[in-house]
mmCIF file of all heavy atoms in Angstrom:
data_model
loop_
_atom_site.group_PDB
_atom_site.id
_atom_site.type_symbol
_atom_site.label_atom_id
_atom_site.label_comp_id
_atom_site.label_asym_id
_atom_site.label_seq_id
_atom_site.Cartn_x
_atom_site.Cartn_y
_atom_site.Cartn_z
ATOM 1 N N ALA A 979 24.801 -14.737 16.799
ATOM 2 C CA ALA A 979 23.444 -14.244 17.060
ATOM 3 C C ALA A 979 22.769 -13.786 15.773
ATOM 4 O O ALA A 979 21.588 -14.078 15.542
ATOM 5 C CB ALA A 979 23.494 -13.102 18.076
ATOM 6 N N LEU A 980 23.513 -13.083 14.918
ATOM 7 C CA LEU A 980 22.954 -12.630 13.647
ATOM 8 C C LEU A 980 22.620 -13.807 12.735
ATOM 9 O O LEU A 980 21.593 -13.801 12.050
ATOM 10 C CB LEU A 980 23.916 -11.666 12.951
ATOM 11 C CG LEU A 980 23.957 -10.270 13.548
ATOM 12 C CD1 LEU A 980 25.173 -9.509 13.052
ATOM 13 C CD2 LEU A 980 22.686 -9.516 13.237
ATOM 14 N N ALA A 981 23.470 -14.816 12.742
ATOM 15 C CA ALA A 981 23.235 -15.990 11.894
ATOM 16 C C ALA A 981 21.980 -16.742 12.316
ATOM 17 O O ALA A 981 21.349 -17.412 11.490
ATOM 18 C CB ALA A 981 24.451 -16.913 11.932
ATOM 19 N N ALA A 982 21.603 -16.646 13.570
ATOM 20 C CA ALA A 982 20.424 -17.356 14.069
ATOM 21 C C ALA A 982 19.112 -16.639 13.729
ATOM 22 O O ALA A 982 18.040 -17.223 13.857
ATOM 23 C CB ALA A 982 20.534 -17.535 15.590
ATOM 24 N N LEU A 983 19.205 -15.389 13.289
ATOM 25 C CA LEU A 983 18.005 -14.628 12.951
ATOM 26 C C LEU A 983 17.451 -15.035 11.600
ATOM 27 O O LEU A 983 18.162 -15.587 10.757
ATOM 28 C CB LEU A 983 18.333 -13.130 12.893
ATOM 29 C CG LEU A 983 18.778 -12.449 14.176
ATOM 30 C CD1 LEU A 983 19.187 -11.008 13.879
ATOM 31 C CD2 LEU A 983 17.683 -12.500 15.229
ATOM 32 N N GLU A 984 16.177 -14.701 11.377
ATOM 33 C CA GLU A 984 15.613 -14.804 10.034
ATOM 34 C C GLU A 984 16.494 -13.929 9.143
ATOM 35 O O GLU A 984 16.922 -12.841 9.565
ATOM 36 C CB GLU A 984 14.177 -14.281 10.062
ATOM 37 C CG GLU A 984 13.500 -14.276 8.724
ATOM 38 C CD GLU A 984 12.078 -13.708 8.790
ATOM 39 O OE1 GLU A 984 11.739 -13.041 9.786
ATOM 40 O OE2 GLU A 984 11.337 -13.930 7.834
ATOM 41 N N PRO A 985 16.801 -14.357 7.923
ATOM 42 C CA PRO A 985 17.683 -13.559 7.069
ATOM 43 C C PRO A 985 17.178 -12.116 6.910
ATOM 44 O O PRO A 985 15.972 -11.868 6.831
ATOM 45 C CB PRO A 985 17.657 -14.297 5.730
ATOM 46 C CG PRO A 985 17.348 -15.717 6.106
ATOM 47 C CD PRO A 985 16.408 -15.611 7.284
ATOM 48 N N GLU A 986 18.126 -11.204 6.854
ATOM 49 C CA GLU A 986 17.793 -9.786 6.754
ATOM 50 C C GLU A 986 16.905 -9.499 5.546
ATOM 51 O O GLU A 986 15.968 -8.700 5.640
ATOM 52 C CB GLU A 986 19.081 -8.951 6.678
ATOM 53 C CG GLU A 986 18.806 -7.456 6.618
ATOM 54 C CD GLU A 986 20.058 -6.621 6.492
ATOM 55 O OE1 GLU A 986 20.816 -6.823 5.525
ATOM 56 O OE2 GLU A 986 20.257 -5.757 7.358
ATOM 57 N N ALA A 987 17.172 -10.148 4.428
ATOM 58 C CA ALA A 987 16.375 -9.912 3.217
ATOM 59 C C ALA A 987 14.899 -10.258 3.450
ATOM 60 O O ALA A 987 14.008 -9.540 2.992
ATOM 61 C CB ALA A 987 16.932 -10.730 2.051
ATOM 62 N N GLU A 988 14.654 -11.335 4.182
ATOM 63 C CA GLU A 988 13.267 -11.731 4.457
ATOM 64 C C GLU A 988 12.602 -10.752 5.427
ATOM 65 O O GLU A 988 11.422 -10.417 5.279
ATOM 66 C CB GLU A 988 13.222 -13.149 5.013
ATOM 67 C CG GLU A 988 13.616 -14.197 3.991
ATOM 68 C CD GLU A 988 13.683 -15.602 4.556
ATOM 69 O OE1 GLU A 988 13.038 -15.880 5.590
ATOM 70 O OE2 GLU A 988 14.396 -16.425 3.963
ATOM 71 N N ARG A 989 13.350 -10.296 6.403
ATOM 72 C CA ARG A 989 12.795 -9.312 7.345
ATOM 73 C C ARG A 989 12.471 -8.013 6.627
ATOM 74 O O ARG A 989 11.412 -7.414 6.840
ATOM 75 C CB ARG A 989 13.778 -9.059 8.505
ATOM 76 C CG ARG A 989 14.028 -10.290 9.350
ATOM 77 C CD ARG A 989 14.814 -10.043 10.632
ATOM 78 N NE ARG A 989 15.778 -8.979 10.664
ATOM 79 C CZ ARG A 989 17.104 -9.145 10.528
ATOM 80 N NH1 ARG A 989 17.626 -10.352 10.332
ATOM 81 N NH2 ARG A 989 17.914 -8.110 10.608
ATOM 82 N N ALA A 990 13.363 -7.581 5.740
ATOM 83 C CA ALA A 990 13.132 -6.342 4.990
ATOM 84 C C ALA A 990 11.932 -6.494 4.060
ATOM 85 O O ALA A 990 11.090 -5.588 3.974
ATOM 86 C CB ALA A 990 14.379 -5.968 4.186
ATOM 87 N N ALA A 991 11.819 -7.625 3.386
ATOM 88 C CA ALA A 991 10.688 -7.842 2.476
ATOM 89 C C ALA A 991 9.360 -7.803 3.236
ATOM 90 O O ALA A 991 8.381 -7.217 2.760
ATOM 91 C CB ALA A 991 10.851 -9.171 1.745
ATOM 92 N N ALA A 992 9.335 -8.387 4.427
ATOM 93 C CA ALA A 992 8.106 -8.377 5.230
ATOM 94 C C ALA A 992 7.752 -6.955 5.657
ATOM 95 O O ALA A 992 6.569 -6.569 5.630
ATOM 96 C CB ALA A 992 8.270 -9.273 6.451
ATOM 97 N N LEU A 993 8.751 -6.168 6.014
ATOM 98 C CA LEU A 993 8.488 -4.784 6.417
ATOM 99 C C LEU A 993 8.019 -3.948 5.233
ATOM 100 O O LEU A 993 7.112 -3.115 5.377
ATOM 101 C CB LEU A 993 9.736 -4.171 7.058
ATOM 102 C CG LEU A 993 10.056 -4.694 8.451
ATOM 103 C CD1 LEU A 993 11.457 -4.272 8.879
ATOM 104 C CD2 LEU A 993 9.025 -4.192 9.454
ATOM 105 N N VAL A 994 8.609 -4.167 4.063
ATOM 106 C CA VAL A 994 8.179 -3.436 2.868
ATOM 107 C C VAL A 994 6.739 -3.812 2.520
ATOM 108 O O VAL A 994 5.930 -2.954 2.178
ATOM 109 C CB VAL A 994 9.139 -3.709 1.678
ATOM 110 C CG1 VAL A 994 8.537 -3.238 0.363
ATOM 111 C CG2 VAL A 994 10.478 -3.025 1.928
ATOM 112 N N GLU A 995 6.412 -5.079 2.647
ATOM 113 C CA GLU A 995 5.041 -5.525 2.393
ATOM 114 C C GLU A 995 4.071 -4.834 3.351
ATOM 115 O O GLU A 995 2.981 -4.418 2.961
ATOM 116 C CB GLU A 995 4.963 -7.045 2.554
ATOM 117 C CG GLU A 995 3.679 -7.648 2.076
ATOM 118 C CD GLU A 995 3.474 -7.500 0.578
ATOM 119 O OE1 GLU A 995 4.468 -7.533 -0.176
ATOM 120 O OE2 GLU A 995 2.314 -7.339 0.167
ATOM 121 N N GLN A 996 4.469 -4.704 4.585
ATOM 122 C CA GLN A 996 3.631 -4.097 5.619
ATOM 123 C C GLN A 996 3.521 -2.578 5.444
ATOM 124 O O GLN A 996 2.437 -2.000 5.580
ATOM 125 C CB GLN A 996 4.207 -4.420 6.991
ATOM 126 C CG GLN A 996 3.495 -3.786 8.152
ATOM 127 C CD GLN A 996 4.223 -4.039 9.475
ATOM 128 O OE1 GLN A 996 5.177 -4.800 9.547
ATOM 129 N NE2 GLN A 996 3.764 -3.392 10.522
ATOM 130 N N LEU A 997 4.646 -1.920 5.136
ATOM 131 C CA LEU A 997 4.701 -0.459 5.101
ATOM 132 C C LEU A 997 4.484 0.141 3.716
ATOM 133 O O LEU A 997 4.198 1.326 3.601
ATOM 134 C CB LEU A 997 6.051 0.023 5.652
ATOM 135 C CG LEU A 997 6.377 -0.392 7.088
ATOM 136 C CD1 LEU A 997 7.822 -0.060 7.425
ATOM 137 C CD2 LEU A 997 5.409 0.274 8.056
ATOM 138 N N GLY A 998 4.661 -0.671 2.683
ATOM 139 C CA GLY A 998 4.516 -0.184 1.316
ATOM 140 C C GLY A 998 5.860 0.042 0.646
ATOM 141 O O GLY A 998 6.850 0.348 1.291
ATOM 142 N N ARG A 999 5.856 -0.115 -0.685
ATOM 143 C CA ARG A 999 7.075 0.065 -1.484
ATOM 144 C C ARG A 999 7.218 1.535 -1.856
ATOM 145 O O ARG A 999 6.924 1.930 -2.971
ATOM 146 C CB ARG A 999 6.958 -0.775 -2.756
ATOM 147 C CG ARG A 999 7.766 -1.984 -2.757
ATOM 148 C CD ARG A 999 7.715 -2.724 -4.085
ATOM 149 N NE ARG A 999 8.177 -4.050 -3.830
ATOM 150 C CZ ARG A 999 7.397 -5.076 -3.548
ATOM 151 N NH1 ARG A 999 6.101 -4.939 -3.563
ATOM 152 N NH2 ARG A 999 7.909 -6.248 -3.284
ATOM 153 N N THR A 1000 7.685 2.321 -0.908
ATOM 154 C CA THR A 1000 7.823 3.760 -1.151
ATOM 155 C C THR A 1000 9.225 4.212 -0.775
ATOM 156 O O THR A 1000 9.923 3.533 -0.020
ATOM 157 C CB THR A 1000 6.811 4.554 -0.286
ATOM 158 O OG1 THR A 1000 7.166 4.394 1.098
ATOM 159 C CG2 THR A 1000 5.378 4.087 -0.517
ATOM 160 N N PRO A 1001 9.628 5.354 -1.294
ATOM 161 C CA PRO A 1001 10.924 5.908 -0.877
ATOM 162 C C PRO A 1001 10.990 6.141 0.633
ATOM 163 O O PRO A 1001 12.042 5.975 1.247
ATOM 164 C CB PRO A 1001 11.013 7.229 -1.650
ATOM 165 C CG PRO A 1001 10.152 7.017 -2.851
ATOM 166 C CD PRO A 1001 9.023 6.140 -2.386
ATOM 167 N N ARG A 1002 9.859 6.507 1.206
ATOM 168 C CA ARG A 1002 9.822 6.745 2.651
ATOM 169 C C ARG A 1002 10.133 5.453 3.424
ATOM 170 O O ARG A 1002 10.855 5.476 4.419
ATOM 171 C CB ARG A 1002 8.449 7.274 3.032
ATOM 172 C CG ARG A 1002 8.337 7.667 4.459
ATOM 173 C CD ARG A 1002 6.960 8.228 4.769
ATOM 174 N NE ARG A 1002 7.018 8.967 5.994
ATOM 175 C CZ ARG A 1002 6.273 9.981 6.290
ATOM 176 N NH1 ARG A 1002 5.369 10.401 5.441
ATOM 177 N NH2 ARG A 1002 6.401 10.589 7.443
ATOM 178 N N THR A 1003 9.583 4.331 2.970
ATOM 179 C CA THR A 1003 9.872 3.041 3.601
ATOM 180 C C THR A 1003 11.353 2.714 3.455
ATOM 181 O O THR A 1003 11.989 2.267 4.408
ATOM 182 C CB THR A 1003 9.006 1.920 2.981
ATOM 183 O OG1 THR A 1003 7.633 2.210 3.248
ATOM 184 C CG2 THR A 1003 9.374 0.566 3.545
ATOM 185 N N GLY A 1004 11.898 2.949 2.268
ATOM 186 C CA GLY A 1004 13.324 2.704 2.059
ATOM 187 C C GLY A 1004 14.196 3.514 2.998
ATOM 188 O O GLY A 1004 15.143 2.997 3.593
ATOM 189 N N ALA A 1005 13.848 4.787 3.159
ATOM 190 C CA ALA A 1005 14.622 5.653 4.057
ATOM 191 C C ALA A 1005 14.498 5.179 5.502
ATOM 192 O O ALA A 1005 15.487 5.160 6.246
ATOM 193 C CB ALA A 1005 14.148 7.099 3.922
#
């Protein structure tokens, strides 16, 4: 199931783009 998902790195990059590159987003 995990292998069928969009790669985690791409999902994280999209969320960072949406939320901003801040320590709060990282947390």
Side-chain angles (χ1 to χ4, degrees):
L980 285 165
L983 296 174
E984 177 182 17
E986 182 182 58
E988 292 175 23
R989 297 189 330 260
L993 287 167
V994 166
E995 191 65 34
Q996 176 186 352
L997 301 170
R999 255 185 198 94
T1000 66
R1002 185 178 198 150
T1003 297

